Structures are given as C-alpha cells and as structure tokens.
Amino acid sequence: MKLWSSRFEKNTAALTDELNASIGFDCRLYRQDILGSLAHCAMLRKTGIITGEDAEKIIRGLNEILADMVSGALTFGQDAEDVHMAIEGELTRRIGKAGGRLHTARSRNDQVALDLRLYLKEEITTIRTMALALLEALADIAAQNLDTVMPAYTHLQRAQPTTFAHVAMAYANMLRRDILRLEDCLERMDECPLGSGAATSTTYPIDRAFVAEALGFARVTQNSMDAVSDRDFSIELMSDLSILMMHLSRFSEEIILWCSWEFRFAELDDAYSTGSSIMPQKKNPDIAELVRGKTGRIYGDLITLLTVMKGLPLAYNKDMQEDKEPVFDACDTVKKCLPVFTDMLLTMKLLPENMRRAAAGGFINATDCADYLTKRGLPFREAYGVVGALVKACSREGKTLETLTLEEYRQVSPLFESDIFDAISLERCVGARRVPGGPAPESVLEQIAYIRSFISERTQD
Ligand code: ARG
C-alpha cells in the first residue's frame, strides 16, 4: 500500500506505477537520504517537535537500514516508488509508529532537493580530484619536453614553431579553468534546502541552521519556493562538465591526429589502444575517440535538463524527477573518462624527431624571417611582402628558407646578413619567444610553476 493512499478510492494502474517509479535510478541516493533524515530527526528532537524516545528509535532504525543497504541485505523493488518512500516505509516496518514521525515538517520536495545536492557535492569533489591528477600529469609531461620542438598550427596548417611543453600547458590552462568552474559550482551549491517543505516551508519551530551545519552545508537556501524547484546546481554542473569534456575532446582529436601515419608525432601504449578485427596492422586510438564521442553524450545530458526545466511554473513539478538520470550519467561518464585519459597520456610515447621534421618544413619560420628585416628597420608590412615573395620563389624551386644561399637572400633585400640563418633556426624561433605565455623554455617553466602551485594549494591539507 502507498504511504499516500488514504485519499484515494482505487489503486494506481500498473502502468502508472511503472512510469511514476524512480526507485530504479534514485536508489543510489540512499546514503544521502538517510544522512538527511538523521540530521532532520536530530533537529526535530532538539526543538522538541518529537520526543527523545521516538528520536532514538528512528535513529537506530535508520542506521540499521543504512547498514543493510550498504551490505546489500536490503534492496527495493519498483513498488517502493522512490528512495524516500522506500526508506520511510522500511523504517516504519522496522520500528512501528515512531517511524511515522520522521516526516514531520518535511516534504519529499525539500528531501529530494537535499539528497541531490549532497550527492553532487561529493561528485564534484571526486571529479575535481581526478582533474587535478590530469593537471599534474600535464605539468610533468611539459617539464620533460621543454625542448621538444614541434609545429604550432593555425587552420591545421603549420604556422610557427613551438614545443610539446607549450602545447601541454595550453591544455593545462583549460583544465585549470575547468577546476575553478567546478569549485565555483560547489560553492554556489553549498546551501541546505531542508525546511522548505512542499513549497512554503512549515509552521513547526524548526532549526534550519542546525540541519545545515550537521550536514556540512555553508548556509541555508533563501526562499522555500525557489529551493524546492531549483535545479540550477545540476544544470550548472553539467555545463561545467560539458566544457571540461569539450577540452578533453579537443585534446583527443589532437592525439588521434598525432597518432596517424600522416603525422606520426606520438604512439599510444598498447594498453590504451585497440586492434581491428580484419586489418592486422591496425592500432586504433579508441580511448581518445570514445572520450571525444562521450562528449556529445554530456552535452545531451545538459540539454535534457535545460529542456525539462524550461516550462515549469513554481514550485515542484513531477517533471523534475527527470533531473537525476542525466546528471548521474554526466558524472559517471566524466569519472570514467578522466582517469583513463590521464593514464593514456602518461604512457603515450612521443616521437620528437618526427615533430621536429614537421617543424623544419612548411616555412614555419617565415614570421621570424620577416621579424629579422623588421628589426633592421624595415616596416613589418614591407618585410612581410619580401618574405612572402621569397616563400613563393622557394615553393616554385623546391627550396626552403634554410637552404637559400645568402646571395639569394640579398637579391631580395640588402638587409640580410649571414646571421639570418641563425635567426631562422628552430631553436632561435622558439627560444626568442620568451614573453610571458610564450614557448621559450624559461616561459614555459614559469607556466609550469604557476600550475604546480595551483595544484599544491589544493592538495596540501
Ligand atoms: N521522486 C521524486 C523526484 O525525484 C521525489 C519528489 C516527489 N515529490 C512529489 N511531490 N511527488 O522528484
């Protein structure tokens, strides 16, 4: 029998139960639900709303249910409707009448809002730790590759020389912002909605601050109507996860390119690649591809909840039960992707000779050649024109800027001297870009130091 059946003449149809039940997916909130109930019960006792005797029975019963659920001795079927009803029903079965006092001054609407916040607070902490591990891996990889010259691309055309360290730190900075966004989301989520009741709070003399503190929240929510119908925190988290996955997806795309025969800049470890059922030679970057693919799934999760919420009047509506599956899916997926991505990266073998060979072709030092003339007094736009003409001539004759003779240089501009060859060497092109943010080893070392202190501020305690 349903806990709410007293007002009805008939039982619900089986199909109604099937559509209505959320126990299949919200049972994973059982620990948060019981912790919330324990704090609520302690508050009811402290404020004298229930007796110490009843409170003790409730607390003992809830703890036993928790232990049985952890051990797997207690599970719930679909008839339990949702996790909140399931646990309250079980409590009353175990301790009798006193169990019926637990729901005083509470509704499932503030209860579910609480459970989800408690659950997601933990998820954010876990995901943040995983993201910090990836960030650390990137800093380590960068530190080992300060001199690994490779091309920087724009439009996927070779643009200017850089180093693998500089590229790794580009991704590190994306991840740094992802971590800051997660922290920001956690901070805003850190409000306890319990005490909001079904919509308009309660007439009982409850102590909201006590419950919030017992559950480790920074503060209580400000408005009961908002608190029971707010899912911004889930949407915000899924936006943050979408951005994080977008970064991993871009990185994956890059790794897939690097591992192609066309680039050959890197090779994945066997443990993070797969073979083909028909082509014996194949070694496929499936992990990177799956991370890229699963990014679409997270975007879908975000759009699902945004769409569920867009037409809802105040306050709680049952549509909101659809909030859990997408947010669980988004967290589960990110938790699956982040650690394997980190391991894949840490075991990926770089092929620096190939990177360097790619950087040495394609007139990647043309900007530096123009800068050479500019530093000798020619306006940059004119220098650009001179070097453009040189590149055109070289392309026609199958030469590069390195293989031109000094005479050929001087035919286009008398400003060229024998030091032009040094000025356009890859080492000089990279090493001279030592402004903050640049690829010169000393600049990248500063970027690494910044990221390392960002990490240690968050891991030392
Ligand atoms: N299972 C519901 C959900 O996930 C809990 C809240 C139900 N509230 C209600 N008034 N029916 O949203």
Side-chain angles (χ1 to χ4, degrees):
M1 214 179 48
K2 303 261 174 355
L3 287 178
W4 41 256
S5 62
S6 50
R7 180 242 175 273
F8 291 85
E9 309 265 345
K10 282 207 278 185
N11 285 332
T12 43
L15 288 175
T16 300
D17 288 344
E18 207 179 298
L19 186 65
N20 194 30
S22 55
I23 186 79
F25 51 84
D26 68 15
C27 57
R28 72 157 91 187
L29 296 174
Y30 76 86
R31 200 165 46 79
Q32 290 75 18
D33 196 74
I34 292 175
L35 290 178
S37 288
L38 286 168
H40 180 66
C41 175
M43 182 279 291
L44 292 177
R45 168 202 217 156
K46 172 183 170 278
T47 49
I49 298 171
I50 64 172
T51 65
E53 201 184 318
D54 284 338
E56 252 144 56
K57 280 191 199 152
I58 292 172
I59 288 168
R60 203 173 329 112
L62 286 172
N63 279 320
E64 280 170 21
I65 293 172
L66 180 60
D68 288 349
M69 291 195 77
V70 170
S71 74
L74 176 64
T75 53
F76 295 109
Q78 189 184 285
D79 55 328
E81 193 173 333
D82 63 23
V83 66
H84 326 292
M85 301 291 246
I87 291 171
E88 192 191 327
E90 179 67 19
L91 181 69
T92 305
R93 267 191 295 284
R94 292 189 183 199
I95 68 167
K97 236 174 153 32
R101 298 197 190 277
L102 172 63
H103 212 53
T104 315
R106 188 176 70 170
S107 154
R108 272 189 292 164
N109 298 351
D110 54 353
Q111 198 177 350
V112 72
L114 170 78
D115 293 1
L116 200 53
R117 281 176 191 257
L118 283 173
Y119 182 86
L120 294 182
K121 277 177 68 178
E122 285 181 36
E123 291 291 84
I124 292 179
T125 307
T126 307
I127 293 170
R128 175 175 173 270
T129 304
M130 291 173 167
L132 281 165
L134 174 55
L135 191 57
E136 193 164 7
L138 283 167
D140 291 347
I141 292 169
Q144 292 152 18
N145 286 286
L146 292 168
D147 300 311
T148 309
V149 173
M150 68 179 283
Y153 296 84
T154 63
H155 313 267
L156 209 54
Q157 303 285 321
R158 290 173 191 167
Q160 293 171 335
T162 186
T163 64
F164 192 75
H166 193 222
V167 169
M169 292 315 287
Y171 285 105
N173 276 284
M174 298 180 211
L175 215 65
R176 173 179 63 85
R177 294 192 296 274
D178 291 330
I179 292 167
L180 288 170
R181 263 187 289 272
L182 288 174
E183 290 171 355
D184 194 40
C185 177
L186 179 64
E187 206 288 314
R188 228 183 325 278
M189 190 187 293
D190 203 6
E191 297 185 347
C192 184
L194 217 61
S196 301
T200 61
S201 77
T202 180
T203 54
Y204 293 95
I206 58 170
D207 184 345
R208 294 192 61 201
F210 173 88
V211 178
E213 206 193 315
L215 292 170
F217 283 99
R219 53 198 177 272
V220 300
T221 50
Q222 285 294 306
N223 176 289
S224 66
M225 296 273 277
D226 174 48
V228 290
S229 61
D230 165 32
R231 293 296 181 268
D232 292 4
F233 57 96
S234 297
I235 293 173
E236 204 176 325
L237 176 56
M238 284 190 283
S239 324
D240 296 348
L241 297 180
S242 294
I243 299 174
L244 187 155
M245 287 298 286
M246 178 267 287
H247 292 148
L248 294 192
S249 182
R250 290 181 67 184
F251 204 168
S252 294
E253 168 67 13
E254 198 115 53
I255 289 169
I256 293 162
L257 286 173
W258 292 339
C259 291
S260 69
W261 280 102
E262 283 68 17
F263 276 76
R264 220 74 203 126
F265 285 0
E267 194 181 330
L268 291 174
D269 191 82
D270 284 0
Y272 301 98
S273 332
T274 59
S276 153
S277 59
I278 172 170
M279 297 166 281
Q281 84 285 11
K282 288 299 286 293
K283 183 168 173 183
N284 295 329
D286 287 27
I287 297 299
E289 290 172 285
L290 281 168
V291 168
R292 189 177 57 183
K294 284 182 190 292
T295 302
R297 182 177 171 137
I298 312 283
Y299 294 179
D301 291 330
L302 168 64
I303 298 298
T304 298
L305 188 53
L306 279 171
T307 312
V308 165
M309 295 301 292
K310 74 180 274 294
L312 300 188
L314 284 174
Y316 178 85
N317 298 269
K318 194 62 173 257
D319 316 45
M320 289 166 68
Q321 181 163 283
E322 290 297 310
D323 62 349
K324 284 169 232 30
E325 285 167 294
V327 76
F328 292 162
D329 181 71
C331 292
D332 291 350
T333 306
V334 171
K335 284 191 297 179
K336 229 186 254 176
C337 290
L338 265 174
V340 67
F341 191 90
T342 304
D343 290 349
M344 175 184 72
L345 211 59
L346 281 170
T347 53
M348 185 172 77
K349 194 171 115 207
L350 299 182
L351 302 169
E353 315 76 57
N354 296 346
M355 291 183 177
R356 197 189 162 85
R357 200 171 315 121
F363 304 102
I364 206 160
N365 41 12
T367 314
D368 297 80
C369 190
D371 285 344
Y372 175 92
L373 294 175
T374 308
K375 284 172 192 160
R376 275 154 190 74
L378 204 62
F380 177 77
R381 193 47 69 208
E382 272 178 52
Y384 175 98
V386 170
V387 177
L390 267 180
V391 168
K392 186 154 73 175
C394 282
S395 311
R396 211 169 35 230
E397 293 157 31
K399 294 182 178 165
T400 66
L401 292 178
E402 290 89 343
T403 58
L404 286 177
T405 63
L406 184 56
E407 289 68 56
E408 286 170 313
Y409 269 112
R410 291 182 67 88
Q411 272 163 24
V412 292
S413 170
L415 291 173
F416 281 117
E417 309 273 357
S418 58
D419 58 352
I420 177 61
F421 297 103
D422 180 48
I424 60 166
S425 74
L426 288 180
E427 274 62 36
R428 273 291 291 276
C429 294
V430 171
R433 287 179 164 76
R434 58 183 102 75
V435 297
E442 62 258 51
S443 291
V444 176
L445 273 174
E446 274 171 32
Q447 297 166 37
I448 295 173
Y450 183 82
I451 289 295
R452 285 195 167 143
S453 74
F454 177 89
I455 297 169
S456 62
E457 276 164 24
R458 286 160 174 79
T459 46
Q460 275 165 9
D461 45 36

